[in-house]
Amino acid sequence: MKRYVYVNDNDLSQDVYCDNRISNRKYTVLNFLPKNLWEQFSRFMNQYFLLIACLQLWSLITPVNPASTWGPLIFIFAVSATKEAWDDYNRYISDNQANEKEVWVVKQGVKKLIQAQDIRVGNIVWLRENDEVPCDLVLLGTSDPQGVCYVETAALDGETDLKTRVIPSACVGIASELLHKIKGVIECPNPDKDIRRFDANLRLFPPFIDNDLCPLTINNTLLQSCYLRNTEWACGVAVYTGNETKLGMSRGIPEPKLTAVDAMIDKLTGAIFLFQIVVVIVLGTAGNVWKDTEARKQWYVLYPNEGPWYEVLVIPLRFELLCSIMIPISIKVSLDLVKSLYAKFIDWDQAMYDHETSTPSHATNTAISEDLGQVEYILTDKTGTLTENKMIFRRCCINGIFYGNESGDALKDPVLLNAVASNSPDVIRFLMVMAICNTVIPIKSKSGAITYKAQSQDEDALVHAAAHLHMALVNKSGNILEINLNGVVIQYEVLDTLEFTSDRKRMSLVVKDFQNGKIILLSKGADEAIFPYACSGQQIRAFVEAVEQYAQFGLRTLCLAWRELKEDEYEEWSLMFKEAKTTLVDREWRLAEVCQRLEHNLEILGVTAIEDRLQEGVPETIETLRKAGINFWMLTGDKQNTAIQIALSCNFISPEPKGQLLLINGKTEDEVSRSLERVLLTMRITTSEPKDVAFVVDGWALEIVLNHYREAFTELAILSRTAICCRVTPSQKAQLVKLLKSCDYRTLAIGDGGNDVRMIQQADIGVGISGREGLQAARAADYSIGKFRFLKRLILVHGRYSYNRTAFLSQYSFYKSLVICFIQILFSFISGVSGTSLFNSVSLMAYNVFYTSVPVLVSVLDKDLSERTVMLHPQILFYCQAGRILNPSTFAGWFGRSLFHALVVFLITIHAYADQKSEMEELSMVALSGCIWLQAFVVTQETNSFTLLQHLAIWGNLAVFYVINLIVSGLPSAGMYTIMFRLCRQPSYWITMFLTVVVGMGPVLALKYFRYTYRSSAINILQQAERMGGPIMSLGNMELQPRSLNKDVAPLSVTLPKNRNPVFEPLLADSPTATRRSIGSSTAPFEFFQSSPSRLSSSGYTRNSLSVLQRKANQDKH
């Protein structure tokens, strides 16, 4: 589908397309309440709580006041709705600011000042320097005589360098005073979100041109939210407006990511729900049986002989309402709150502030911080991520002669300087291609100094190097280029530009030399994109050797070539190129095909070598994270040897003999198949050896593998700890992330450029580096950091703390709800299994909202180990990766503890007041007090590091409990009149509290002492060392468990089992993960109480233990 935009014709444009009103609002005043409620009730848990609340309105079955459920439910919904309303209001304010900006628009041949929201498709919009572009425009004219203007696109794509935009060729030469009278039609596609592509055609009406089609590309457009820079004025016709602009189409709420912790909480919630149904059925049946057998014998029970048909449902439904608090209604709000605090901790972390670029760390996604602590694979870009992206021209090879090999700096090589001074033809041609075959913009200051604005750091380095060698690009005005060679200005006319694409991997320029009228094709690109197209008679062996040699030094290489064109050959090709440029269907493919017709028989001029140094701290960061059991994959567009050298220098892989590199290469399916099978066989054999094995694959072979041998490659991915993927495209990067996610690994992708965005968005966690390629990756990511080295702290400190805190908070939330629920169930056994509630409605509501929530929320400040210890001993991240703090087994411990504490509270309370004449409310308050006291000690016992705020939250909350209940007891209408006053005066009450705490906490503390003394984990030992104040001992490596390996080579069509065998797991001698996941139940005995971090078994999972250099650690068992 396409649209026709009639330029400067108000009648044809009127009401056909939308106006320029921007609306990012999610709600309106009328639909906010129903739409927000619909969204909230689309979640299962909210539907469940609504059902419970509605059942409590039935007075026959409700054991408590409906307010005990409706109050918290309305409060939670109100909090969520208020947050949504506030966010939407801020969007509304932002929209109004953009919509009410004033812009100049041509109306009926006259320029008028109107609001931006009133712009219509087809209107001509005039912009002044530094104005923001209000909608998507096709450029018609600029203040520059050559029709050039400069725009800043940082708000659109994050790239900070200025970009050149030019008017269409059809508009060249039209006087500025005639632009407001211009008429024509633009044929363009329907709106889309691709900010790098615009395939359209322009036809101007007479008298401006003779109806020829003029192709339009993205270089002829000014997109919404860009800024006009270094240009006095520019004008263009609106083609896309409002929410139909490319930026508007790109807006939207990203799909939420589900963390492993959230997934586990959902499973545990489902298990509790099933348990609740079983309890309801059993107790409901028992209640009906007791009612029909025993209850009718009691004189005080006035059951009628015959009841309504639904009578059999009354008692089960009562128990359903009693047991509904098993699933804590506040858990989602609590988790959202603490996750927001985790994100703020990242934003506030001064240790992750990059002083060089004044860039703080930032958490864009506030919901996945705990996933940082469970990362198993990091997929990283190379340039700008591991390296500084500060390109320095170091060496070159021109016509087989190497420059800069001795000094390491070709710019200081006297041989090269003499060749330039003597105007050596080979060197001059080489430098000429370096200087003008690019997209660099030279900008001359008032003082005459020239600065360069480049979209690519490579091009910037080449242009600066050429200028240093007296071949300076001094002016780029429209189609005219000027270079200064040793003081002589040479002009070239740019006839056509064959733009770089990730598929072609080269860029070419067709220029005409004004001195002799010759037409020349200039090309630069990767070696595999240039060498195959060399002229048949040229010897390229020296250039191939140069590329290999420079790659061995870790340098980035580019090959330069040229060809002189005959005029008739160019004219014939130009017609095909123009036709390809005007097609609206498959324009990119057609252009690539036409470009290849010209880019052949090239004369190779030479090879450039550019250094891109490693960022500070990269080797140390990778080494530390590898010790933490994290596997690394490098995904880069560089050539193989360069990537390997960078990998060696940054501890990505180990040199021989400890390390081994396995290559997957080939150009055909058979070659790639044999190579893959050989690598897979070697990997299977070496998995039992303490050797660092990595595989290397290039983009060509990777494409074949992903299309034809995906299952075998998946097995290789599982077996391999390290991989280097070279010459890969952005789409291949995303495919590799998806492949690892399909193996049930938690992946983190990190990059700095626009080509990394797809990979970052595909990964479980995306991290963007605010680098020299702009902010596009950082904006698309869940987290942004200034340097790669901050990744270590982001994962080991913030990720680990977030996981530990969330694991405790979620399990404790279930625990406190289960305790009160189990007491209600136990009470039913002495109340005729009737579903009567022991606690009143006010107590139940206060218990969930006030008494137990505040102490646990301050767990966000808890640290089981200091940050220094965590950074020194990264192996302990293993507990988080394996999910050892939150899994069905640890939850069973909390479940058992809640049942035990409920028994303690109920039995001690009942026996303490069995012989006394106590009111129901009095018994209820004693039991509730016992719960509050126990949970204060539980939180204290689970807290590792105390601050003043935590003490206030725990013990202050206990004091507030008594203050609130004393106040309520003083109100005659509250139903608890004088209850708390009487209890506090009774010694038996305080003795009951003392016995409850001693009996409830005694076994828990004894078990914890036993574990710390006789079954200490690495974390326990580190905690003891910290508390003793002595030096922290070294942790050993993970002990490798024996593994059975099938030595037989399976065919390439490998069928992976759903549950993976340890044979497929990555290994490394110094890795904390020898066996990641194995099938079968744990060998550890079932634990009744919550498991401390020392227990390293989880349901369906086994990991090797951490061995420490102490006698205690040898007693670790699974």
Side-chain angles (χ1 to χ4, degrees):
M1 297 294 291
K2 52 189 176 182
R3 67 165 53 180
Y4 293 93
V5 177
Y6 292 91
V7 181
N8 204 16
D9 194 324
N10 295 326
D11 295 332
L12 291 174
S13 298
Q14 192 71 24
D15 298 329
V16 178
Y17 306 113
C18 70
D19 61 19
N20 198 42
R21 186 185 303 272
I22 296 171
S23 179
N24 294 304
R25 296 178 63 189
K26 188 177 178 181
Y27 307 100
T28 65
V29 175
L30 294 178
N31 73 10
F32 173 75
L33 195 59
K35 189 174 182 179
N36 183 262
L37 287 175
W38 175 262
E39 289 176 354
Q40 296 209 51
F41 285 121
S42 64
R43 302 170 187 143
F44 169 75
M45 287 184 68
N46 288 346
Q47 294 172 9
Y48 168 78
F49 290 127
L50 179 64
L51 174 63
I52 296 299
C54 291
L55 286 175
Q56 287 192 341
L57 296 176
W58 188 4
S59 60
L60 183 63
I61 66 171
T62 181
V64 294
N65 192 309
S68 63
T69 298
W70 280 102
L73 187 67
I74 292 173
F75 173 76
I76 289 170
F77 281 3
V79 170
S80 298
T82 302
K83 180 179 179 297
E84 287 286 326
W86 177 252
D87 291 343
D88 208 51
Y89 177 73
N90 287 331
R91 287 191 287 266
Y92 169 75
I93 296 298
S94 177
D95 290 344
N96 274 357
Q97 290 175 350
N99 290 331
E100 294 173 2
K101 282 184 179 178
E102 293 188 330
V103 294
W104 289 98
V105 172
V106 174
K107 292 280 189 179
Q108 298 176 345
V110 179
K111 283 195 288 186
K112 296 181 179 179
L113 199 62
I114 65 171
Q115 290 187 342
Q117 62 187 353
D118 297 325
I119 298 174
R120 305 303 297 249
V121 170
N123 288 161
I124 295 179
V125 180
W126 288 75
L127 303 171
R128 294 169 296 182
E129 186 175 3
N130 298 324
D131 277 355
E132 182 180 2
V133 182
C135 58
D136 290 351
L137 308 174
V138 167
L139 201 58
L140 297 179
T142 74
S143 57
D144 185 86
Q146 302 297 328
V148 177
C149 72
Y150 303 104
V151 293
E152 180 186 294
T153 62
L156 187 68
D157 57 16
E159 297 179 7
T160 53
D161 295 316
L162 297 183
K163 293 183 175 63
T164 307
R165 294 294 183 259
V166 297
I167 63 174
S169 57
C171 298
V172 174
I174 298 178
S176 59
E177 60 270 14
L178 298 177
L179 286 174
H180 64 279
K181 299 179 181 178
I182 199 169
K183 298 279 187 177
V185 62
I186 295 174
E187 181 186 19
C188 60
N190 278 336
D192 60 55
K193 60 182 180 182
D194 190 348
I195 63 173
R196 303 190 182 279
R197 186 171 181 177
F198 180 72
D199 300 334
N201 293 319
L202 167 67
R203 187 192 300 272
L204 292 182
F205 296 153
F208 295 97
I209 203 166
D210 56 356
N211 281 340
D212 271 352
L213 274 182
C214 173
L216 301 176
T217 68
I218 198 68
N219 290 328
N220 305 121
T221 64
L222 300 177
L223 299 185
Q224 184 187 43
S225 292
C226 296
Y227 285 85
L228 187 67
R229 303 294 192 203
N230 298 344
T231 307
E232 187 178 342
W233 60 265
C235 71
V237 57
V239 287
Y240 302 129
T241 52
N243 288 340
E244 292 184 344
T245 62
K246 289 185 178 291
L247 181 62
M249 299 289 285
S250 301
R251 291 192 188 102
I253 301 173
E255 189 174 333
K257 296 181 177 181
L258 182 68
T259 68
V261 170
D262 287 336
M264 180 58 67
I265 291 173
D266 288 345
K267 292 177 182 177
L268 297 176
T269 303
I272 289 294
F273 178 73
L274 293 176
F275 173 75
Q276 176 185 316
I277 295 299
V278 172
V279 170
V280 167
I281 292 173
V282 171
L283 293 180
T285 304
N288 281 322
V289 170
W290 190 89
K291 181 187 72 173
D292 292 335
T293 56
E294 298 296 327
R296 298 186 191 279
K297 300 177 183 179
Q298 309 300 326
W299 62 270
Y300 55 85
V301 180
L302 303 176
Y303 279 119
N305 292 328
E306 291 186 7
W309 61 270
Y310 54 79
E311 184 181 16
V312 71
L313 299 177
V314 171
I315 292 180
L317 287 176
R318 281 182 183 171
F319 278 109
E320 172 62 32
L321 296 179
L322 275 181
C323 296
S324 63
I325 59 173
M326 281 187 180
I327 301 175
I329 194 172
S330 61
I331 187 170
K332 185 181 184 301
V333 172
S334 299
L335 288 176
D336 288 346
L337 176 60
V338 297
K339 287 181 179 184
S340 299
L341 289 174
Y342 299 156
K344 287 300 180 184
F345 292 158
I346 293 173
D347 293 348
W348 296 334
D349 193 344
Q350 289 300 309
M352 294 172 61
Y353 184 85
D354 183 23
H355 294 278
E356 181 183 346
T357 59
S358 299
T359 304
S361 56
H362 177 62
T364 305
N365 190 333
T366 61
I368 63 172
S369 294
E370 62 269 25
D371 247 8
L372 286 167
Q374 296 195 282
V375 170
E376 296 166 294
Y377 273 82
I378 292 178
L379 299 97
T380 175
D381 178 41
K382 182 183 75 68
T383 305
T385 304
L386 301 177
T387 62
E388 293 181 342
N389 204 13
K390 293 180 181 178
M391 306 299 181
I392 303 174
F393 183 85
R394 287 300 187 192
R395 308 184 187 201
C396 62
C397 174
I398 305 174
N399 198 24
I401 302 174
F402 289 80
Y403 299 99
N405 275 11
E406 294 182 3
S407 63
D409 188 353
L411 300 181
K412 297 179 181 179
D413 192 321
V415 179
L416 179 59
L417 295 175
N418 289 336
V420 174
S422 60
N423 288 331
S424 169
D426 293 333
V427 174
I428 296 302
R429 283 187 296 174
F430 180 85
L431 295 178
M432 186 257 291
V433 177
M434 279 178 58
I436 66 176
C437 187
N438 51 61
T439 59
V440 175
I441 304 168
I443 297 177
K444 185 176 292 187
S445 65
K446 294 180 180 179
S447 63
I450 295 176
T451 56
Y452 297 113
K453 291 289 185 180
Q455 299 178 31
S456 161
Q457 297 297 319
D458 292 277
E459 289 187 344
D460 185 71
L462 292 178
V463 172
H464 274 96
H468 191 275
L469 294 171
H470 310 293
M471 179 75 75
L473 176 64
V474 294
N475 188 30
K476 186 178 282 190
S477 179
N479 291 335
I480 306 300
L481 297 176
E482 293 182 358
I483 57 175
N484 188 320
L485 173 61
N486 291 324
V488 178
V489 176
I490 305 173
Q491 288 188 331
Y492 293 93
E493 179 186 2
V494 179
L495 301 179
D496 288 297
T497 301
L498 288 61
E499 295 181 353
F500 174 89
T501 66
S502 58
D503 293 325
R504 293 177 60 241
K505 295 182 180 178
R506 62 180 176 271
M507 171 195 178
S508 297
L509 217 61
V510 180
V511 298
K512 185 174 184 179
D513 191 336
F514 278 134
Q515 290 181 319
N516 50 34
K518 291 182 178 180
I519 299 175
I520 308 167
L521 172 70
L522 312 177
S523 295
K524 81 169 189 301
D527 55 295
E528 74 265 28
I530 298 293
F531 288 163
Y533 303 100
C535 55
S536 55
Q538 186 178 13
Q539 295 294 325
I540 64 171
R541 183 175 178 179
F543 301 117
V544 173
E545 289 177 354
V547 169
E548 295 298 326
Q549 181 186 119
Y550 295 150
Q552 290 294 331
F553 293 125
L555 302 176
R556 297 164 60 87
T557 58
L558 280 174
C559 299
L560 309 185
W562 86 330
R563 180 164 79 93
E564 189 174 326
L565 303 177
K566 296 180 181 178
E567 191 166 343
D568 55 347
E569 177 190 10
Y570 169 72
E571 293 295 338
E572 181 183 353
W573 176 86
S574 181
L575 292 175
M576 291 188 292
F577 189 62
K578 183 177 180 181
E579 182 183 352
K581 286 198 297 183
T582 56
T583 184
L584 295 183
V585 180
D586 295 329
R587 177 182 290 188
E588 188 174 347
W589 179 83
R590 290 284 303 277
L591 282 172
E593 183 184 31
V594 173
C595 288
Q596 194 154 336
R597 291 175 178 267
L598 196 67
E599 295 169 322
H600 62 85
N601 290 330
L602 300 175
E603 180 184 349
I604 310 299
L605 299 177
V607 179
T608 65
I610 297 173
E611 179 187 30
D612 186 12
R613 288 175 292 192
L614 284 179
Q615 290 183 24
E616 178 188 352
V618 166
E620 295 80 7
T621 299
I622 292 177
E623 182 180 11
T624 300
L625 293 178
R626 281 166 65 89
K627 287 180 180 178
I630 297 176
N631 308 319
F632 275 86
W633 282 29
M634 180 193 291
L635 314 180
T636 178
D638 268 351
K639 68 182 287 77
Q640 191 176 94
N641 285 342
T642 303
I644 290 173
Q645 293 305 313
I646 293 295
L648 285 168
S649 63
C650 67
N651 290 333
F652 213 83
I653 52 178
S654 303
E656 292 285 355
K658 183 180 178 182
Q660 182 180 0
L661 280 178
L662 306 175
L663 304 181
I664 301 175
N665 47 34
K667 296 295 183 183
T668 65
E669 285 188 32
D670 289 339
E671 291 175 356
V672 173
S673 172
R674 288 194 296 270
S675 179
L676 178 59
E677 187 170 357
R678 183 173 61 253
V679 169
L680 199 52
L681 171 61
T682 307
M683 194 69 75
R684 287 168 178 162
I685 295 171
T686 55
T687 48
S688 59
E689 302 173 6
K691 196 167 188 177
D692 187 359
V693 183
F695 72 86
V696 183
V697 60
D698 64 20
W700 187 280
L702 183 63
E703 189 69 23
I704 296 174
V705 164
L706 291 176
N707 289 334
H708 303 286
Y709 306 110
R710 179 177 286 270
E711 290 184 347
F713 187 72
T714 302
E715 180 188 354
L716 179 62
I718 295 170
L719 283 167
S720 176
R721 179 172 167 79
T722 306
I724 301 171
C725 304
C726 315
R727 299 297 196 195
V728 292
T729 62
S731 62
Q732 287 176 328
K733 291 182 178 182
Q735 287 182 66
L736 289 172
V737 174
K738 189 175 181 180
L739 183 141
L740 287 173
K741 286 177 66 178
S742 70
C743 301
D744 199 24
Y745 289 114
R746 306 305 291 183
T747 58
L748 181 149
I750 180 169
D752 73 315
N755 60 337
D756 300 317
V757 168
R758 292 180 64 178
M759 169 180 76
I760 286 171
Q761 292 177 332
Q762 181 68 52
D764 293 305
I765 304 167
V767 178
I769 292 182
S770 304
R772 293 175 176 270
E773 291 190 26
L775 301 174
Q776 194 172 357
R779 287 176 174 171
D782 302 304
Y783 301 92
S784 63
I785 54 178
K787 291 288 187 292
F788 182 85
R789 68 177 182 270
F790 298 139
L791 187 64
K792 176 169 63 175
R793 183 173 176 84
L794 184 67
I795 292 174
L796 296 181
V797 175
H798 292 284
R800 185 177 175 278
Y801 284 159
S802 297
Y803 172 79
N804 288 349
R805 292 160 178 169
T806 303
F808 167 70
L809 172 62
S810 55
Q811 293 179 113
Y812 178 84
S813 296
F814 280 105
Y815 157 78
K816 67 184 180 66
S817 296
L818 286 168
V819 168
I820 209 78
C821 186
F822 282 141
I823 293 175
Q824 297 273 53
I825 292 172
L826 292 171
F827 179 71
S828 70
F829 291 117
I830 63 171
S831 60
V833 203
S834 59
T836 303
S837 175
L838 173 62
F839 304 102
N840 61 49
S841 304
V842 176
S843 296
L844 283 176
M845 185 164 56
Y847 175 83
N848 275 317
V849 177
F850 301 111
Y851 300 153
T852 57
S853 296
V854 175
V856 75
L857 288 179
V858 296
S859 65
V860 295
L861 302 175
D862 187 39
K863 298 179 180 180
D864 61 337
L865 292 168
S866 68
E867 295 177 5
R868 177 177 174 272
T869 303
V870 171
M871 299 287 273
L872 286 175
H873 302 284
Q875 297 95 323
I876 56 177
L877 186 70
F878 149 70
Y879 290 92
C880 302
Q881 292 169 324
R884 296 302 164 85
I885 319 294
L886 174 62
N887 56 57
S889 191
T890 60
F891 182 76
W894 280 100
F895 185 91
R897 184 189 293 192
S898 66
L899 179 57
F900 172 68
H901 282 170
L903 283 166
V904 169
V905 171
F906 180 75
L907 293 177
I908 291 179
T909 300
I910 290 298
H911 283 84
Y913 286 81
D915 298 329
Q916 300 184 26
K917 293 181 179 179
S918 305
E919 298 179 22
M920 182 78 159
E921 290 295 341
E922 193 172 344
L923 190 68
S924 168
M925 184 53 63
V926 173
L928 184 64
S929 301
C931 290
I932 301 301
W933 274 96
L934 267 180
Q935 287 173 49
F937 278 91
V938 167
V939 174
T940 303
Q941 181 235 334
E942 294 297 331
T943 301
N944 297 284
S945 60
F946 285 96
T947 63
L948 178 61
L949 183 61
Q950 286 165 301
H951 280 296
L952 286 174
I954 296 171
W955 307 115
N957 184 76
L958 190 60
V960 168
F961 166 75
Y962 282 98
V963 171
I964 291 176
N965 282 283
L966 285 170
I967 293 173
V968 174
S969 295
L971 302 176
S973 60
M976 294 174 56
Y977 190 53
T978 73
I979 293 291
M980 189 54 91
F981 291 106
R982 280 183 283 156
L983 286 175
C984 289
R985 288 196 297 264
Q986 297 173 7
S988 59
Y989 171 79
W990 297 108
I991 293 173
T992 301
M993 294 302 103
F994 176 77
L995 286 174
T996 300
V997 171
V998 170
V999 177
M1001 294 305 299
V1004 177
L1005 293 173
L1007 184 60
K1008 184 172 183 178
Y1009 174 79
F1010 172 79
R1011 286 189 176 136
Y1012 266 70
T1013 306
Y1014 301 106
R1015 296 187 60 190
S1016 298
S1017 70
I1019 292 179
N1020 300 150
I1021 294 174
L1022 290 173
Q1023 288 173 333
Q1024 293 171 30
E1026 282 189 343
R1027 287 164 187 163
M1028 292 168 60
I1032 298 174
M1033 72 294 298
S1034 172
L1035 291 180
N1037 299 325
M1038 296 299 296
E1039 294 176 355
L1040 302 184
Q1041 294 179 346
R1043 303 167 54 140
S1044 60
L1045 288 172
N1046 182 8
K1047 303 291 182 180
D1048 298 330
V1049 182
L1052 282 181
S1053 57
V1054 178
T1055 302
L1056 287 175
K1058 186 175 182 180
N1059 294 320
R1060 301 194 302 279
N1061 188 279
V1063 72
F1064 296 147
E1065 302 307 321
L1067 283 177
L1068 189 66
D1070 59 350
S1071 169
T1073 51
T1075 306
R1076 178 173 174 270
R1077 301 177 184 174
S1078 62
I1079 308 308
S1081 61
S1082 171
T1083 59
F1086 178 77
E1087 300 189 357
F1088 192 72
F1089 300 99
Q1090 185 229 356
S1091 176
S1092 70
S1094 63
R1095 196 178 67 79
L1096 296 183
S1097 63
S1098 62
S1099 178
Y1101 294 84
T1102 57
R1103 290 255 196 176
N1104 296 313
S1105 65
L1106 286 166
S1107 68
V1108 297
L1109 302 180
Q1110 281 194 351
R1111 185 173 299 174
K1112 291 180 181 179
N1114 295 328
Q1115 296 168 342
D1116 279 359
K1117 297 179 181 178
H1118 293 271

